[in-house]
Amino acid sequence: MKTLGLLGGMTYHSTILYYGQINAHIQRVRGGSNAASLILHSFDFGEMSALFAAGRWDTVTSEFVTAAKHMRDAGAEGIAIGCNIGYKVAGDVEARVGLPVLHIADFTAQALRERQLTKVALLATRAAMEDDFISARLAQQAGVEVLVPEKPDRDVIDAAIFNELSTGTVTEETRKFMVGVAEKLVQKGAQGVVLACTDLQFVLKPGTVGVSLFDTLDLHTRGLAQWALQE
């Protein structure tokens, strides 16, 4: 089994899901008490979210590279970043560490291809919705058109993610707002909704909108487990 290095703690709530789901996938395949060979570096999300918000991507890259090198030296054979926004610097991390960064969008694109969708909505942090490090990869690999919310909605979503969801809190007001935004994009032709923030699964559940949800965390953990099991 390959050893995975996971850059986590962004947030710790989603990292718990990463750890549990990767191991659960391994156990289902291998049976018995088998689990993943995994090295975890957990960041202080309070510090990392401030770097994200300030656009200090050079510092983010440096933090990721330092942690990933430690994991490489401890035996990691591939690196995963436990948040969508972190993939803005994935290429630099991969180049400087010398290990493959197992991109979260690649596993989501595979799921979209399998469903043969042509247009999807993307809900995420503002950086992930306004930059193209997720959407362009989905468009290229899955051949889909990616719709994002209007700017006022993007601002509210971003604030909810960093100020509310990151603390493990989900208000009914936020839940209704997120559903409303998703439904507006469905009315514009979205055939599915990509939850490109690993904390959004705490808000939007299957059946809350009229199309399928593609939870990047779930797809990522399944793909990471499959990668680890490849000989």
Side-chain angles (χ1 to χ4, degrees), residues 7 16 155 168 181 192 210 214:
L7 299 176
I16 290 170
D155 292 341
V181 172
F214 293 85

mmCIF file of all heavy atoms in Angstrom, residues 7 16 155 168 181 192 210 214:
data_model
loop_
_atom_site.group_PDB
_atom_site.id
_atom_site.type_symbol
_atom_site.label_atom_id
_atom_site.label_comp_id
_atom_site.label_asym_id
_atom_site.label_seq_id
_atom_site.Cartn_x
_atom_site.Cartn_y
_atom_site.Cartn_z
ATOM 1 N N LEU A 7 -2.180 17.128 4.028
ATOM 2 C CA LEU A 7 -2.120 18.460 4.622
ATOM 3 C C LEU A 7 -3.524 18.806 5.093
ATOM 4 O O LEU A 7 -4.414 19.097 4.281
ATOM 5 C CB LEU A 7 -1.623 19.484 3.595
ATOM 6 C CG LEU A 7 -0.216 19.236 3.025
ATOM 7 C CD1 LEU A 7 0.098 20.262 1.945
ATOM 8 C CD2 LEU A 7 0.826 19.266 4.116
ATOM 9 N N ILE A 16 -11.253 15.480 9.981
ATOM 10 C CA ILE A 16 -11.779 14.273 10.626
ATOM 11 C C ILE A 16 -12.476 13.393 9.593
ATOM 12 O O ILE A 16 -12.313 12.160 9.579
ATOM 13 C CB ILE A 16 -12.747 14.647 11.770
ATOM 14 C CG1 ILE A 16 -11.969 15.266 12.934
ATOM 15 C CG2 ILE A 16 -13.546 13.435 12.242
ATOM 16 C CD1 ILE A 16 -12.859 15.885 13.987
ATOM 17 N N ASP A 155 -19.892 36.716 -2.106
ATOM 18 C CA ASP A 155 -19.406 37.365 -0.888
ATOM 19 C C ASP A 155 -20.043 36.754 0.358
ATOM 20 O O ASP A 155 -19.369 36.515 1.362
ATOM 21 C CB ASP A 155 -19.692 38.866 -0.934
ATOM 22 C CG ASP A 155 -18.862 39.593 -1.990
ATOM 23 O OD1 ASP A 155 -17.838 39.023 -2.429
ATOM 24 O OD2 ASP A 155 -19.249 40.712 -2.373
ATOM 25 N N GLY A 168 -17.707 25.003 12.816
ATOM 26 C CA GLY A 168 -18.602 23.872 13.029
ATOM 27 C C GLY A 168 -20.046 24.275 13.232
ATOM 28 O O GLY A 168 -20.874 23.459 13.651
ATOM 29 N N VAL A 181 -29.182 29.835 -3.486
ATOM 30 C CA VAL A 181 -28.150 30.116 -4.488
ATOM 31 C C VAL A 181 -28.022 28.945 -5.449
ATOM 32 O O VAL A 181 -27.948 29.126 -6.672
ATOM 33 C CB VAL A 181 -26.797 30.410 -3.815
ATOM 34 C CG1 VAL A 181 -25.688 30.498 -4.862
ATOM 35 C CG2 VAL A 181 -26.866 31.698 -3.013
ATOM 36 N N GLY A 192 -25.855 19.762 -12.176
ATOM 37 C CA GLY A 192 -25.305 19.256 -10.930
ATOM 38 C C GLY A 192 -24.658 20.401 -10.189
ATOM 39 O O GLY A 192 -24.379 21.461 -10.772
ATOM 40 N N GLY A 210 -32.719 20.216 -6.727
ATOM 41 C CA GLY A 210 -33.305 19.282 -7.677
ATOM 42 C C GLY A 210 -32.331 18.532 -8.559
ATOM 43 O O GLY A 210 -32.764 17.845 -9.494
ATOM 44 N N PHE A 214 -22.157 17.045 -6.019
ATOM 45 C CA PHE A 214 -20.863 16.392 -6.166
ATOM 46 C C PHE A 214 -19.952 16.956 -5.082
ATOM 47 O O PHE A 214 -19.422 18.067 -5.210
ATOM 48 C CB PHE A 214 -20.296 16.631 -7.563
ATOM 49 C CG PHE A 214 -21.088 15.963 -8.647
ATOM 50 C CD1 PHE A 214 -22.213 16.591 -9.183
ATOM 51 C CD2 PHE A 214 -20.746 14.700 -9.109
ATOM 52 C CE1 PHE A 214 -22.971 15.972 -10.172
ATOM 53 C CE2 PHE A 214 -21.496 14.073 -10.096
ATOM 54 C CZ PHE A 214 -22.609 14.706 -10.619
#
